[in-house]
Amino acid sequence: MEQMKKNGQGKAFPYNIFLIGFMGSGKSTISKYMKKTYGMEVAEMDQLIEQRENLSISEIFRIHGEEYFRSLETNLLVEIQKKTNTVVSCGGGVPMRACNVREMKKNGRVVLLTASPETILERVKNSHDRPLL
């Protein structure tokens, strides 16, 4: 991997890594690890959308509807195509749209993270900012 970092671009990966999976499957944890270990930029899609809209995800759904939110996700994926060496923690609904899957595969590798329902429940049971199982 060290040799990859010295490829002239100073980047470990000449593409992006898109992490998909159910809430609590480890997307944010793996993103932090990739940043620390390989110096990758991290893009937490839900956080970016909340910051840009100045609303929580639940508020976006309530005010604008699901279709509006899903379009924001798709537009963000298109924007991320301009980058490389970025690990992207995708919201749970991102891979549900075929166009999003195509977009992720253009300049990246898609990685599905899984965990048992019991493990997920243990990880998210005290979280009040996500829907429960």
Side-chain angles (χ1 to χ4, degrees), residues 6-132:
K6 296 177 182 176
N7 66 4
Q9 297 174 336
K11 296 181 178 184
F13 299 95
Y15 50 83
N16 296 318
I17 297 175
F18 294 91
L19 302 177
I20 62 172
F22 199 73
M23 65 176 176
S25 62
K27 297 183 298 285
S28 296
T29 300
I30 297 297
S31 294
K32 290 173 191 169
Y33 174 83
M34 297 296 284
K35 178 179 181 161
K36 180 180 177 185
T37 304
Y38 301 112
M40 297 182 77
E41 183 178 336
V42 172
E44 294 273 353
M45 287 187 69
D46 285 349
Q47 282 182 351
L48 287 169
I49 290 171
E50 285 179 333
Q51 289 169 356
R52 291 176 177 188
E53 294 292 306
N54 201 26
L55 296 167
S56 69
I57 301 299
S58 59
E59 290 172 322
I60 295 169
F61 268 73
R62 184 174 41 80
I63 295 167
H64 300 289
E66 182 177 1
E67 187 61 29
Y68 177 84
F69 175 74
R70 298 300 174 200
S71 294
L72 292 173
E73 289 178 320
T74 300
N75 293 339
L76 184 53
L77 286 173
V78 170
E79 181 182 326
I80 289 171
Q81 294 308 317
K82 299 173 189 166
K83 299 175 178 251
T84 59
N85 201 51
T86 300
V87 60
V88 183
S89 178
C90 298
V94 168
M96 302 307 290
R97 276 187 165 181
C99 65
N100 289 350
V101 174
R102 284 190 302 273
E103 202 61 45
M104 289 187 285
K105 288 181 176 182
K106 280 183 184 177
N107 184 29
R109 307 298 189 273
V110 180
V111 179
L112 171 63
L113 301 179
T114 61
S116 71
E118 295 80 14
T119 298
I120 290 172
L121 180 58
E122 184 62 31
R123 290 176 181 171
V124 303
K125 69 181 180 184
N126 295 321
S127 175
H128 300 290
D129 60 343
R130 317 186 212 202
L132 291 179

